[in-house]
Structure formats: C-alpha cells, structure tokens
Amino acid sequence: MLAIAFRFPGGRYHATPWGRHVNEAAVAWPPEPWRLLRALLAVWHRKLDPVRWPRAQLAALLDRLAAQPPQFHLPPSMPAHSRHYLPTRDKTTLVFDAFLRIETGQPVHAVWPTLELDAEQLELLDTLLDGLGYLGRAESWVEAVREAPPAGRRPDCVPVEADADAENDDGGGDGGEMLRLLAARPAAGYAGFRSRALTEFGRARRIADTLPADWLDALAVETGALQKAGWNRPPAAIEIPYRRRPARPSAPRHDRRPGPAIDTVRYALYGRPLPRIEDAIRVGEWLRSTVLRACRPPVPALISGHDLPPGNPHAHAFWLAESAGGDGRIDHVLIHVPDGIPAGVFGVLADPGELREPARRRSAGDGDADDTDTRAWQLLPEWFGRAATPPDGDAGRLLGKATVWRSTTPYLHPWHVKRGFGAAEQIRRECRERGLAEPEVRELEHIEVAGRRLRPLDFHRFRRKPVAIQPDARGHALELRFPEPVSGPLALGFGCHFGLGVFGRGEG
C-alpha cells in the first residue's frame, strides 16, 4: 500500500475544477489525481536535478501512480469564500474566490491500496513530496509526506468500481454523492488515444500541438492551450466515477467559543441571474427545502417548524432573503432561529448544497409533461453567530440594532381586519407577544428598491403550499419607530418565516 498525507498549514484549499469559471465559486474536492500528478511533474521540472533523477525514472513513477486511481480519507471541512473588486479599464469586476476551509493539521490522505513501489521509486517520491509547496492554486500551501491513514477508518471517497460498500452502505442508508474526478491516462492508454485522435479529427481541429507523443509532455500541456484547441478535458486525462460519502464539516469558528447559542447564519448567494427581491417568499421556501433535504431525519422542530411545543410560535427558523447590494437582486439569505440553532444541524448549514428552484411541470401542450426548467445558485457561508452581535463591516440592513425599521418586503397582517384592529394595531399586538416595545406605525406609499418604487402588489405574496386562511392578500409598506433600539432580523405578519414582512434598519 502507498499512502500520502497532504496538510494545508494555511487551513485553505483553492482549486477550480476543469471547465468551470473561477467565478462559479466551485472547488475541486478531493484533490483530483490529475492535479496530483501534474504537481509532482512541476516539482521535478523546477527543483530536481535531472542527472540525479532521470526523466525516465520520473515517467515510470508517475505511470505507476496513474495506473490505479487512489482512495481518499478527507478531513472535516466547510466551504468559504472572499470577494474582491478588481479594477478593469472602465469598471470594477466582482470576483468570488471560493475555497475549502480545512482544520489546520488535519491531513488529506490519498491511498493506493495495492500499489507497491521499489526503493528507488520511493526515494524519488519522497524527494518530490519534500519539494511540493502548494497543491491547487498557489494560495493552497501544502506539506506532503508518505504516511498511513488512521487505522480502522474507511475512506471517504472511493472509485465506484472499487467501492465494495456501494450497495450495502452502512452510512445511515446514504450511499453518498456521485462525482467524477480527473485522472491521468496511463502511458499506454494515452498512446492509443493519441493515435485514434490524430486519425479521426486531428487535422480538422488543428490539435496536433496539444497531443505530444511523449506522455510526460502531454501531462504538462498548459490549460490555456487545451482550451484554445477546443478540448472539453485534457486529452491525457480521463474521468473516473467516485463515490464521496457524506462530508464531516468542521464546526463554525464562532461555535467553539463559550457563550450564548448561535442563532443566525448568513450566506452570500451566487449565480446568474440572481432572484429578484419581489420573489423573497419563494426564495425563503426554496432555502427551507434545501436545508430539510440535507438534514437526516428526524429534523429538529426548530428547523422544520413542525410539532413545536406550545407557548412560543415564532421560536423556529426564519428563512429570509436580502438585497444587500441595493440593486433589487437577492444576493444574501439568512437563517435565523430565535431559540438557537440545534447543534446537530451545524454540519448541514456549513454546506447545505445549492439553492435550487423546484422543478416546474410544463403543460401538456409544451411537449413532454415531465420536462422541467430549474435554476440553481451557490450558497456560500459568510457568517455564523448571534443576531444581537452581528459581524463588523457589511452585515446588511437586516441585522443590527435600530429604532427605525422600514419594509423591505410587504407586511401582510396575520389576523382579519376589524374596526379598531387594522395593520397598525396588529403590528403592535404582535410586538407585544414577542416581548418588543410597541412602535409607532406609519404607512408608506411604496418600498423603494434600486430607485424603483414598488407597491406591495408588485411582490409575490402567497405560499407555494396554499394555506387554509390568508387574511391579507394585498400587503402594506410600513415604517416602524420604536421607543428603544430593537435587534434584527425583524419579520412580522403572515409569511414572516419565509421572507414576507421583513424590515430593514432605517435612518432618523
């Protein structure tokens, strides 16, 4: 058996999958076998003496590694990102830098279970690993060494053909996620592919320069040259199906500190086009569905909102959309649980998956009734903590303290209107029931969004799952003035747990 441990001293792993744009905020995880071999080849070119370590010896070693796809033991991790505005000629361009945050000191183990190397090959491999400074992008500092994985622990990511537990998985009935990783073709396989490629379409696509006869040269062809030639993946690479078992996310940084329970998580939403703030209630319902799908049963009542104990009907999760950029597009979403996020849900919230619009069945006149059109957006965790103590810097308008709060989505009163019991009286009653001071309530003519004056009727105001009674179908735009500062997020009225009746901090 051969096993290599990769540790990331900076606690970060940056790597953009082949064929994906950096602004898609995707991370190739685990480190692909193709990437590992190219990294070792780069070390030989830049740091090793070719007289001491002949090229033929390197080719023999890498060919042995390519002949068998490795298994991976993965450390706890969670996705994260930073955002940068890069200046261009006429404007600034927003760039998302996505990475995986890895617990410092926790290694990734790549294991070739049946591979045995001779003494010279092991010496060369050790020398290459010692010279390896980063893996993936240059920000991913790495320390690599031959080291066996922990005894008794099964791998987290296994080639499908080698996964003996694929049909009888013992991981709680979840066989894990299927993915395809790039791996290098063995030298013999590449020679056969090159011959067929040059015969069938080499001249037509003018790709001879990207199909060198030497296998090591083929591994070293630059990505830009391959993309310019039209390859949808490197010709010296193949895709191998892997099964990645459910991840073991690391705990959020704030969760390690003693103190009150964490009640809020804020995500940046990435995708094009972003949803409109007018669809806030839809996005709230999609966010809840995304998290519930990722949770293993039984789902805590504070997350599902079902089977809650009597006495506090608003202690469970709020799923709120926000246009923090002020352009009318939903660029952030919040999950706020007033009674605190259950500890067992942190792993799910660290990486809930994509926010996906539910499939919409087409009408029979549109052809196949089972065809669906959906959109999806990346959820990038930005902050875990207490809503009463939001992070420094840009925390948006929904968090923080203020005495003045203005509608960002329409308020729909939760009870039927009666004489002396209109929207203002219902607002004050609901504030009393939540332990808040009673505010002064002023009706606004519109909700201003990116210079547009939106009426409540411009917003979607109905649940996807129809409810028996909806006292208000029109909605109101309101300003609330409290006698003392109130902490957000503040959401009141019908549909408040899904993004209606949301108020943002105001001035004056």
Side-chain angles (χ1 to χ4, degrees):
M1 179 185 77
L2 174 68
I4 301 174
F6 299 91
R7 289 180 173 84
F8 297 90
R12 293 184 172 195
Y13 177 70
H14 300 251
T16 303
W18 172 269
R20 305 286 294 274
H21 191 275
V22 65
N23 252 20
E24 292 183 55
V27 180
W29 185 252
E32 298 161 304
W34 167 258
R35 195 180 300 272
L36 298 180
L37 263 63
R38 279 172 58 93
L40 296 177
L41 177 59
V43 172
W44 182 86
H45 274 291
R46 296 177 180 177
K47 298 184 178 181
L48 267 61
D49 180 2
V51 176
R52 172 66 181 88
W53 305 107
R55 197 171 190 273
Q57 188 176 349
L58 173 70
L61 170 63
L62 298 187
D63 193 28
R64 296 290 306 279
L65 296 177
Q68 179 184 132
Q71 303 176 358
F72 293 93
H73 295 255
L74 304 177
S77 60
M78 69 177 295
H81 79 286
S82 59
R83 286 173 288 172
H84 311 274
Y85 288 87
L86 300 183
T88 57
R89 180 175 301 175
D90 300 319
K91 61 180 181 179
T92 56
T93 301
L94 175 61
V95 176
F96 280 79
D97 181 12
F99 56 90
L100 214 63
R101 183 168 66 78
I102 300 172
E103 196 72 34
T104 304
Q106 295 292 317
V108 176
H109 283 96
V111 180
W112 291 259
T114 62
L115 181 60
E116 299 291 340
L117 302 179
D118 60 34
E120 287 188 355
Q121 290 173 332
L122 289 175
E123 186 180 3
L124 172 56
L125 178 60
D126 289 341
T127 305
L128 292 171
L129 295 178
D130 184 60
L132 191 62
Y134 64 90
L135 183 62
R137 296 225 313 265
E139 302 95 319
S140 303
W141 307 333
V142 73
E143 296 173 348
V145 64
R146 281 193 297 127
E147 177 187 288
R153 179 186 151 196
R154 67 175 185 169
D156 302 287
C157 192
V158 183
V160 170
E161 63 179 15
D163 188 3
D165 296 329
E167 296 183 1
N168 300 307
D169 188 86
D170 61 359
D174 185 354
E177 176 188 5
M178 299 297 297
L179 65 157
R180 305 182 74 85
L181 301 184
L182 276 186
R185 298 178 188 270
Y190 170 73
F193 172 83
R194 177 179 182 272
S195 177
R196 294 191 302 272
L198 290 175
T199 300
E200 294 175 9
F201 50 83
R203 290 184 179 178
R205 297 180 61 181
R206 299 179 181 179
I207 59 173
D209 290 344
T210 61
L211 286 167
D214 184 86
W215 181 63
L216 287 185
D217 288 342
L219 293 183
V221 176
E222 293 186 0
T223 299
L226 297 175
Q227 292 174 335
K228 186 175 181 180
W231 291 101
N232 61 357
R233 70 166 181 248
I238 55 175
E239 287 186 336
I240 296 180
Y242 271 74
R243 184 184 302 274
R244 183 171 61 192
R245 296 189 174 88
R248 300 178 295 127
S250 61
R253 294 186 187 274
H254 299 276
D255 194 33
R256 301 176 199 153
R257 304 175 184 176
I262 292 172
D263 61 15
T264 304
V265 56
R266 186 173 190 245
Y267 301 91
L269 197 64
Y270 181 75
R272 290 291 184 271
L274 290 170
R276 300 180 307 166
I277 192 63
E278 293 96 312
D279 291 322
I281 188 172
R282 288 174 167 152
V283 171
E285 292 187 313
W286 301 343
L287 179 60
R288 177 179 180 271
S289 297
T290 297
V291 172
L292 293 189
R293 281 196 302 268
C295 287
R296 289 189 178 183
V299 180
L302 289 177
I303 298 299
S304 69
H306 298 155
D307 302 319
L308 289 165
N312 191 351
H314 294 290
H316 61 290
F318 288 77
W319 316 87
L320 308 180
E322 178 184 9
S323 177
D327 60 356
R329 294 285 178 174
I330 297 173
D331 47 30
H332 286 77
V333 291
L334 277 75
I335 302 174
H336 174 64
V337 185
D339 272 11
I341 297 173
V345 183
F346 275 120
V348 172
L349 298 186
D351 186 11
E354 288 183 325
L355 176 68
R356 186 171 292 276
E357 177 185 11
R360 293 175 292 173
R361 186 180 292 271
R362 295 177 181 170
S363 64
D366 292 334
D368 189 348
D370 289 332
D371 285 350
T372 56
D373 296 315
T374 63
R375 295 177 293 168
W377 299 270
Q378 292 273 353
L379 285 168
L380 303 178
E382 201 169 69
W383 177 74
F384 286 81
R386 293 281 297 173
T389 55
D392 296 334
D394 182 16
R397 292 178 58 203
L398 304 191
L399 297 176
K401 290 186 177 183
T403 56
V404 179
W405 294 84
R406 294 190 180 96
S407 292
T408 63
T409 60
Y411 167 81
L412 277 63
H413 50 72
W415 299 288
H416 288 289
V417 172
K418 301 176 183 177
R419 180 176 296 180
F421 192 56
E425 290 78 17
Q426 295 194 24
I427 283 274
R428 286 192 278 268
R429 173 179 167 179
E430 193 168 357
C431 287
R432 288 197 306 270
E433 292 180 351
R434 299 200 195 185
L436 301 174
E438 295 185 22
E440 296 179 9
V441 181
R442 183 168 71 95
E443 189 100 18
L444 303 176
E445 294 182 357
H446 59 267
I447 298 173
E448 187 163 338
V449 176
R452 295 180 297 146
R453 295 183 173 184
L454 299 181
R455 303 167 302 161
L457 290 176
D458 294 324
F459 290 75
H460 189 79
R461 304 173 310 287
F462 302 92
R463 293 283 310 278
R464 185 168 183 257
K465 179 181 179 181
V467 296
I469 300 175
Q470 181 171 340
D472 183 4
R474 296 179 61 86
H476 305 263
L478 302 174
E479 177 186 270
L480 309 184
R481 288 182 176 269
F482 291 88
E484 57 190 29
V486 170
S487 293
L490 181 63
L492 304 169
F494 174 85
C496 62
H497 284 269
F498 298 95
L500 289 179
V502 177
F503 294 82
R505 287 182 289 107
E507 297 178 358

